[in-house]
Amino acid sequence: MSDTIQILNKLMDSCALRQRVIAGNLANINTPGYTRREVEFQKVLSEAIRSGNDDKVAEAAPKVVLDQSGPYRRDGNNVSVQTEMEVMSDNSLLYNLATTAISRKYAGLHKAIGGK
Amino acid sequence: MPNEFNIMPAMRVSATGLDAESRRMEVIANNIANANTTAAPGGNAYHRKQVIFAAKLASEMNKMGQERVAAGVEVKQVAEDTRPDKLVYRPGHPDADKDGNVRMPDINVLEEMVDMMGATRAYEANLAAIKTSRAMATQALGIGR
């Protein structure tokens, strides 16, 4: 039970961090020489879960990386509004999912305690 | 909970974006308003200005293997455009030289308009980010209800 809540908590943390990173990318959409940043978490977490080691799952943390893949504009900036908006709506949906799932978990616990 | 996983800093980051873009708008509006100014402070023709943005990077997230996230953007400088003045023949003008030429700012209103559209779009993008951050914070408040 608590494992699920712990993992969902981590998911919320990584979504919050990603939102901040996207906000930073959007704020710097016209900054010459700025490279967009990205948060890597799902990969880290799924590797940790697949390893079957609970300590690794507990230690899994989101990582901020540079994303140099997109086409750079002439001012040396590779932020695109479309990409950021897409990642942002994805991310907010995922956050919605995590908060809803945590709420359900707590509701289940509540029922168990009440014996209903 | 460490600060880095909070939603609130995301809103602060977007707010710096709004600030910077509105500053850019001000400068563009000033350029358009002064497109025909022959006697700016100093006595010369007005020179076109442009804002130079620089990323502000967060200091607290400099852990091993981590890139520093942008804590926002700032207007590093309002730079003066170096293109030369336009010479317009207007012998009756009080600012004319002995040949009857007046130095006018070389400002292209179309160019300023395009720049202004860019500033508006970037402002809207930051606004959208603030709205999403707000929605996320509200969702988190709803846990357990």
Side-chain angles (χ1 to χ4, degrees), chain A:
Chain A
M1 192 96 195
S2 64
D3 273 3
T4 317
I5 288 178
Q6 190 195 9
I7 289 178
L8 287 172
N9 236 322
K10 278 182 176 296
L11 184 60
M12 278 181 69
D13 281 354
S14 84
C15 286
L17 178 64
R18 188 176 290 120
Q19 175 64 19
R20 187 173 156 196
V21 166
I22 297 167
N25 288 344
L26 283 173
N28 284 290
I29 195 138
N30 291 309
T31 305
Y34 179 85
T35 297
R36 84 176 282 265
R37 277 125 174 98
E38 206 175 50
V39 173
E40 250 179 25
F41 179 62
Q42 271 84 333
K43 209 174 81 188
V44 179
L45 184 65
S46 69
E47 273 168 12
I49 291 175
R50 221 174 294 133
S51 74
N53 186 344
D54 282 353
D55 291 343
K56 272 195 182 159
V57 176
E59 279 165 18
K63 209 171 131 193
V64 180
V65 292
L66 283 183
D67 171 24
Q68 291 163 322
S69 63
Y72 278 85
R73 297 197 307 257
R74 281 195 56 178
D75 61 354
N77 183 315
N78 70 340
V79 180
S80 124
V81 188
Q82 287 84 349
T83 313
E84 300 306 326
M85 288 297 172
E86 190 217 312
V87 176
M88 189 162 73
S89 61
D90 261 15
N91 189 50
S92 122
L93 263 178
L94 200 58
Y95 195 78
N96 198 345
L97 174 91
T99 50
T100 311
I102 288 185
S103 281
R104 295 267 166 87
K105 266 298 180 206
Y106 281 132
L109 274 174
H110 207 85
K111 262 190 191 158
I113 293 168
K116 278 177 249 174

Side-chain angles (χ1 to χ4, degrees), chain B residues 4-67:
Chain B
E4 60 191 90
F5 297 138
N6 210 328
I7 289 282
M8 296 306 161
M11 291 204 226
R12 228 168 293 138
V13 170
S14 300
T16 67
L18 292 181
D19 267 354
E21 295 299 340
S22 59
R23 186 75 200 283
R24 180 172 162 206
M25 286 280 256
E26 268 173 40
V27 169
I28 297 167
N30 203 22
N31 284 343
I32 297 176
N34 284 295
N36 293 307
T37 301
T38 53
N44 295 320
Y46 175 83
H47 280 270
R48 179 178 180 272
K49 309 268 192 301
Q50 56 185 347
V51 294
I52 312 286
F53 289 153
K56 275 196 291 191
L57 295 179
S59 51
E60 87 268 31
M61 289 190 56
N62 208 354
K63 289 185 222 140
M64 287 291 286
Q66 293 245 344
E67 278 306 326

